[in-house]
Amino acid sequence: MYDEDFEEMEMPCPCNNCGDWFDLNSGSASNKWYPNTVICKSCGDIEDHEVDIDNEEEDLLIEIENGNNIRANKKRLKEIGRPFKKKN
Ligand SMILES: [Zn+2]
C-alpha cells in the first residue's frame, strides 16, 4: 500500500481477518467471524457469501428433515459445497 492511500483514510485500521489496512468508514460489519467488529470490505464480501451458504444449508436441512424434495435438496447441498451428512 502507498503512503498516500494511508493518509487518505479517515480512520485506518487493520482488518482482523486479512491484516490489511482499510478505512473503518468503508469497512463491513462482521457477524459470523468477528461479532461486533468491522472488517475490510473484501473480507466482508467473503463472509457475507459464507453466511448466505450457511442460511441456505440450514433451510435445505430443515426441508430434508421434513421429508420435502429430499433428493433435490441433497443434490443442492452438494452444489453449495455442504454435502449432506447424517446426524449422529
Ligand atoms: Zn480483510
Side-chain angles (χ1 to χ4, degrees), residues 15 17-19 40 42-43:
C15 174
N17 194 58
C18 68
C40 79
S42 54
C43 288

Side-chain angles (χ1 to χ4, degrees), residues 33-77:
W33 296 349
Y34 307 98
N36 302 316
T37 303
V38 176
I39 55 178
C40 79
K41 182 78 174 62
S42 54
C43 288
D45 287 345
I46 298 168
E47 190 199 6
D48 281 350
H49 180 68
E50 189 177 301
V51 169
D52 282 349
I53 298 218
D54 285 348
N55 290 338
E56 182 168 4
E57 180 187 25
E58 207 170 294
D59 289 347
L60 290 167
L61 289 175
I62 290 168
E63 285 295 297
I64 290 169
E65 214 163 284
N66 292 336
N68 297 326
N69 299 318
I70 292 175
R71 189 185 290 242
N73 287 329
K74 283 185 178 172
K75 188 168 167 251
R76 180 64 189 149
L77 279 172

